[in-house]
Amino acid sequence: MEPDSVRESWENRAGEYSPAYYAHYGPNETSALIREALDAHLDRDAAVLELGCGSGRHLEHLASHGFEDLSGIDINAEAFETMRETYPELAADGTFYCGAIEDLVEEFDDGAFDAVYSVETLQHLHPDVESAFAEIARITDDILVTAEIEDPTRESAPDEPDVNYVDDETPLYYRDWGEIFTSLGLVEVDIVRGDRDTTRTFRVAD
């Protein structure tokens, strides 16, 4: 599957796994794990960026617990329309960017955010745009958190051992995020293995 096709599958996503789909469920246990990771290292005025924020359910959880400087990126314009309907205060107070992660992260300054995090988002980036991972490390000033599916949930095709498809159009690429981000100079300080996701916390090396 080509990178443009992967982007288009999320840019135009409706129904299952769309921004409205996740807004219906609201914050969850992963939201709490992200907050706990940030709580352990940062003050409430920390600048926080979510990669693939959707309609903002995880950011809403942070806002409700006192985090004030919140930003998000999502490729699907519907995400921000849903956010304005579901979490109007977050939509009004936060800073949001509509576009592909691999394009937008290049535009931020070094260490632009005290914390950057993703929830089941980086796993959908095509191998051809993996240079984005170095950019994510570059714009992180202190804490990076990844909550991603790392182990196959079902058998992959023999010719694609590291990829599965959520549906016919949405690939999921399995990666070892610990290896990826420590190779980029970050230090892994915590790991929580759940039934679905592996949540890793990294710090920028002094």
Side-chain angles (χ1 to χ4, degrees):
M1 194 170 189
E2 296 301 315
D4 286 347
S5 298
V6 175
R7 284 191 288 266
E8 288 171 6
S9 71
W10 288 106
E11 187 175 7
N12 303 309
R13 190 87 191 177
E16 193 173 26
Y17 308 124
S18 69
Y21 172 90
Y22 286 114
H24 170 75
Y25 289 100
N28 61 3
E29 292 179 359
T30 302
S31 309
L33 283 175
I34 297 295
R35 174 179 53 81
E36 289 165 5
L38 301 189
D39 274 340
H41 302 283
L42 301 172
D43 295 328
R44 287 297 193 273
D45 61 353
V48 179
L49 173 69
E50 180 176 3
L51 305 168
C53 65
S55 55
R57 63 176 180 155
H58 304 302
L59 288 170
E60 173 66 17
H61 181 77
L62 294 180
S64 69
H65 284 80
F67 285 89
E68 302 170 354
D69 188 351
L70 302 175
S71 300
I73 291 173
D74 205 276
I75 197 170
N76 190 328
E78 179 194 336
F80 305 108
E81 295 175 11
T82 304
M83 183 187 296
R84 285 189 287 272
E85 296 170 359
T86 311
Y87 308 119
E89 290 188 14
L90 173 66
D93 295 341
T95 303
F96 299 99
Y97 307 87
C98 187
I101 289 169
E102 61 268 26
D103 296 334
L104 291 173
V105 291
E106 295 179 351
E107 300 178 6
F108 296 119
D109 293 338
D110 293 359
F113 300 94
D114 297 302
V116 178
Y117 73 90
S118 70
V119 179
E120 295 190 12
T121 294
L122 299 183
Q123 63 196 31
H124 294 296
L125 292 189
H126 192 279
D128 286 359
V129 299
E130 288 186 350
S131 59
F133 304 151
E135 292 296 303
I136 291 166
R138 179 185 64 80
I139 68 173
T140 302
D141 193 54
D142 197 350
I143 297 297
L144 172 68
V145 184
T146 60
E148 305 284 342
I149 299 174
E150 296 189 359
D151 300 314
T153 56
R154 61 178 184 270
E155 186 174 351
S156 301
D159 58 334
E160 293 183 297
D162 297 321
V163 62
N164 255 325
Y165 288 83
V166 177
D167 52 34
D168 292 339
E169 300 178 347
T170 310
L172 188 164
Y173 301 97
Y174 300 113
R175 298 178 172 108
D176 183 336
W177 297 104
E179 179 179 342
I180 287 171
F181 284 112
T182 56
S183 74
L184 291 169
L186 278 66
V187 178
E188 187 171 81
V189 295
D190 192 29
I191 179 169
V192 179
R193 298 190 187 277
D195 293 337
R196 178 180 174 91
D197 297 335
T198 298
T199 301
R200 298 179 185 269
T201 302
F202 304 88
R203 293 205 75 172
V204 174
D206 295 331

